[in-house]
Amino acid sequence: MVISRFAPSPTGYLHLGNARTAIFSYLFARHYGGKFILRIEDTDRERSTKEFENMLIEDLKWLGLDWDEFYRQSERFDIYREYAQRLVESGHAYPCFCTVEELEEERKKAEEKGVPYRYSGKCRVLTREEVESFKEDGKPYTIRFKVPEGRVVVFEDLIKGHIAINVDDFGDFVIVRSDGTPTYNFVVVVDDALMGVTHVIRGEDHIPNTPKQILIYEALNFQVPKFAHLPVILGEDRSKLSKRHGAVSVRNYREEGYIPEALFNYLCLLGWSPPEEGREILSKEELISIFRLEDINSSPAVFNKEKLRWMNGVYIREVVSLERLVDEFMPFLESAGYKVDRDYVKRVLEKTRDSFDTLKDGVERLKPFFAEEISYSEEAISVLENETSRAVIESFLQKVQEVELSGEKVKAIAKEIQKELGLKAKDVWHALRAVLTGELEGVGVDILCDVLPKEIVIKRMLKALQFMG
RNA sequence: GCCCCCAUCGUCUAGCCCGGUCCAGGACACCGCCCUUUCAAGGCGGAGAUCGCGGGUUCGAAUCCCGCUGGGGGUGCCA
């Protein structure tokens, strides 16, 4: 069976890049009917927080991901301790008593000499007696993995292909910190092996770590999994997508009114493309059935907010059901301070969902449907100041009294007024629009009248007349 | 510095493995027209890539080989 995992560290909000990694890893597992594991990598006790962990989980669920197993590394320290012990006993690792200061010194010297830095291996040659006596003195120590010399680690990456790295490039690395907590390169191996992970799917920034991990797999006699390193996501300036590029967390997009399925869909298209050309709007189910690691592009992709926006619009106007859209939209109306009836919102959205790209934009555009009081823009005011506008409004008020209000009716009335007053269609509509929406652009006056209660329409007319004095 | 990865329209990409059907296809954005009471949406059309550069191999290269350049990533008692 295929087993993949997503292993975020709870040190911040779920980043778009990580979200995409999670999605690919998830799609892969589901495609093969395998298992998907979520593992919180919180071995760095300094930077990890429970709050971030909760938000990570919340965001992953919001995106539509689910997992079969859940682990938290901070709860598995006993396991790591045991395997670290084994490595020491088998001679693959050793205690190192060097202080941070000493190491800093080594690094500085290397830099001055212009040679690439790697740990000197000083403590590698400590005798048993020396080690014992240091320990008795209570000297803090780390445990380092002994990197074999002259070894070239080779692996076939499922995305990048053949990769060979000479491990002489890095020195013995720390697997257990002086405070007893294990480090990433070590725990990731122990966990992936123990959890039976068959495919390690992660960002390409992990490629340099891979040989170190393979060395540990071997030392522990674990079976080495397959690796698939995803290209990174870049910002507009082609550097790794980060906070300085603006909104880069899943949460940002959630708050801006993006539909989770749209974000999910868009993220999939960064670095991956469906085998069937031309179809880009794909549901989670479709993605699961067609997703293959082989179709992942090996070059980095620039995140394009415009296209995400467009895609979100597609989801709003034609993909999600009306009920779903209402559910998604309600919270945005509430946080904008509108107290409205769900049924009313549904009637509004049914006619207007094709005119905005994000829920937040929707709130703005649909203001005339929800706001108690509307305010006039400068352009609207200048229209209201037109002599003809008063006549239009007065006539409209009179004609609307005896009829049931609807978009069709309003069209008929507008035409009548136009004829009676000898105006251009534009003049009539502009006046009505200014009165009803306070703007000269936006939703159609007819659809506005289709759902807006008649008394509100009348109220706005009267208010306008009053405004005109 | 050293190590690693990458390179097709502005952006995401198809094609590259198995050279010719590619004077390179699709999508977003852009431009124009249509629809129209406005803005969107929608429909139709357009512009946009000498396939990073230079060498090879070949009758023929975006596709194979080599070099260069550019970009990105890594180089932690972070993950």
Side-chain angles (χ1 to χ4, degrees):
Chain A
M1 184 178 39
V2 150
I3 301 179
S4 71
R5 46 61 164 190
F6 175 56
S9 63
T11 53
Y13 293 109
L14 180 59
H15 179 97
L16 290 175
N18 290 137
R20 187 194 57 160
T21 302
I23 289 171
F24 284 170
S25 192
Y26 169 85
L27 253 23
F28 176 77
R30 292 288 175 255
H31 177 83
Y32 291 103
K35 216 194 277 180
F36 179 61
I37 297 173
L38 174 62
R39 184 174 71 222
I40 304 296
E41 308 235 319
D42 55 353
T43 54
D44 182 348
R45 306 312 289 150
E46 300 272 301
R47 303 200 302 153
S48 304
T49 75
K50 191 74 190 171
E51 288 68 41
F52 280 132
E53 179 188 314
N54 291 149
M55 289 195 275
L56 231 39
I57 292 173
E58 220 181 281
D59 291 343
L60 286 169
K61 283 185 177 164
W62 178 76
L63 268 177
L65 300 191
D66 54 84
W67 39 93
D68 307 298
E69 288 173 18
F70 175 84
Y71 300 96
R72 200 176 278 122
Q73 291 186 324
S74 57
E75 290 166 356
R76 298 166 59 82
F77 281 5
D78 288 346
I79 298 171
Y80 309 134
R81 214 182 325 274
E82 191 199 316
Y83 281 93
Q85 192 52 42
R86 279 196 206 179
L87 285 175
V88 173
E89 276 162 16
S90 63
H92 289 288
Y94 59 92
C96 167
F97 296 89
C98 294
T99 63
V100 211
E101 291 71 29
E102 286 174 298
L103 297 173
E104 199 43 58
E105 193 58 33
E106 273 191 10
R107 189 166 297 138
K108 228 164 72 189
K109 267 188 195 150
E111 210 166 292
E112 279 164 14
K113 280 212 240 150
V115 288
Y117 170 73
R118 47 193 283 259
Y119 174 59
S120 65
K122 213 195 297 188
C123 296
R124 210 184 208 193
V125 295
L126 255 31
T127 63
R128 175 160 296 213
E129 291 70 36
E130 287 173 308
V131 169
E132 283 316 312
S133 108
F134 279 149
K135 283 189 180 173
E136 264 164 46
D137 293 347
K139 274 192 85 168
Y141 62 95
T142 60
I143 292 178
R144 279 181 190 272
F145 185 82
K146 211 180 275 181
V147 177
E149 261 169 72
R151 169 80 194 277
V152 175
V153 175
V154 173
F155 64 99
E156 294 303 320
D157 190 275
L158 263 20
I159 294 169
K160 305 283 183 178
H162 185 83
I163 295 180
I165 294 173
N166 190 153
V167 298
D168 284 346
D169 295 332
F170 30 78
D172 297 345
F173 55 91
V174 173
I175 57 172
V176 179
R177 300 186 185 88
S178 53
D179 67 358
T181 59
T183 63
Y184 168 74
N185 277 125
F186 173 55
V187 293
V188 73
V189 171
V190 173
D191 280 345
D192 283 339
L194 261 32
M195 294 170 191
V197 172
T198 58
H199 297 255
V200 173
I201 301 169
R202 70 221 316 189
E204 74 176 338
D205 42 337
H206 285 288
I207 290 178
N209 287 323
T210 309
K212 292 182 185 176
Q213 292 163 200
I214 289 177
L215 254 20
I216 298 176
Y217 275 101
E218 290 172 351
L220 251 16
N221 256 312
F222 285 143
Q223 202 191 334
V224 182
K226 300 248 182 249
F227 295 97
H229 288 98
L230 269 19
V232 289
I233 296 182
L234 272 23
E236 300 287 348
D237 64 353
R238 296 212 144 258
S239 68
K240 197 174 168 184
L241 189 66
S242 69
K243 314 105 238 144
R244 58 198 176 73
H245 293 287
V248 292
S249 70
V250 166
R251 192 150 293 238
N252 287 146
Y253 289 89
R254 181 180 176 173
E255 285 164 357
E256 278 187 40
Y258 283 79
I259 303 286
E261 289 92 324
L263 219 208
F264 190 107
N265 192 162
Y266 175 72
L267 253 16
C268 283
L269 262 22
L270 282 182
W272 173 85
S273 62
E276 186 192 339
E277 213 183 318
R279 284 195 60 220
E280 294 192 313
I281 305 298
L282 300 157
S283 70
K284 188 168 84 176
E285 290 65 34
E286 288 174 298
L287 287 162
I288 287 172
S289 85
I290 61 179
F291 181 81
R292 301 186 316 165
L293 285 177
E294 299 92 291
D295 296 322
I296 290 179
N297 193 147
S298 57
S299 56
V302 172
F303 175 72
N304 185 226
K305 198 173 173 175
E306 280 305 310
K307 184 153 183 179
L308 200 212
R309 211 185 150 71
W310 162 78
M311 188 168 282
N312 199 57
V314 172
Y315 272 77
I316 286 177
R317 70 184 81 98
E318 58 194 69
V319 179
V320 301
S321 70
L322 181 57
E323 288 298 333
R324 227 336 260 309
L325 185 61
V326 176
D327 288 339
E328 294 286 343
F329 198 55
M330 291 302 286
F332 282 86
L333 283 174
E334 274 154 32
S335 66
Y338 299 126
K339 286 187 228 21
V340 281
D341 174 60
R342 195 198 138 89
D343 209 59
Y344 176 69
V345 174
K346 188 174 163 187
R347 277 187 290 132
V348 172
L349 254 22
E350 189 181 6
K351 295 194 184 297
T352 59
R353 64 188 294 184
D354 60 1
S355 64
F356 54 92
D357 288 331
T358 71
L359 299 173
K360 216 169 177 179
D361 285 356
V363 170
E364 185 59 27
R365 184 173 173 92
L366 271 24
K367 235 190 223 158
F369 286 99
F370 307 117
E372 274 299 319
E373 289 292 325
I374 58 151
S375 52
Y376 306 127
S377 70
E378 258 177 62
E379 296 80 5
I381 289 173
S382 72
V383 166
L384 292 180
E385 280 165 351
N386 273 346
E387 263 317 301
T388 54
S389 293
R390 167 182 293 278
V392 169
I393 294 161
E394 280 171 348
S395 172
F396 184 88
L397 258 178
Q398 197 188 21
K399 291 177 190 295
V400 87
Q401 294 297 351
E402 62 257 32
V403 301
E404 193 77 15
L405 193 65
S406 77
E408 283 311 309
K409 203 83 218 168
V410 169
K411 279 186 190 167
I413 293 177
K415 203 158 252 166
E416 275 179 42
I417 296 176
Q418 186 194 333
K419 268 194 190 140
E420 285 170 20
L421 301 180
L423 299 171
K424 281 185 286 186
K426 205 171 214 166
D427 299 323
V428 178
W429 288 110
H430 263 91
L432 297 179
R433 160 175 304 287
V435 170
L436 261 18
T437 72
E439 302 281 343
L440 255 36
E441 53 173 53
V443 286
V445 170
D446 57 331
I447 60 172
L448 188 60
C449 290
D450 255 330
V451 275
L452 207 60
K454 188 168 161 184
E455 44 309 351
I456 295 194
V457 170
I458 290 174
K459 205 173 115 192
R460 288 187 191 168
M461 293 289 160
L462 294 173
K463 188 197 159 193
L465 285 178
Q466 194 179 15
F467 175 82
M468 291 182 266

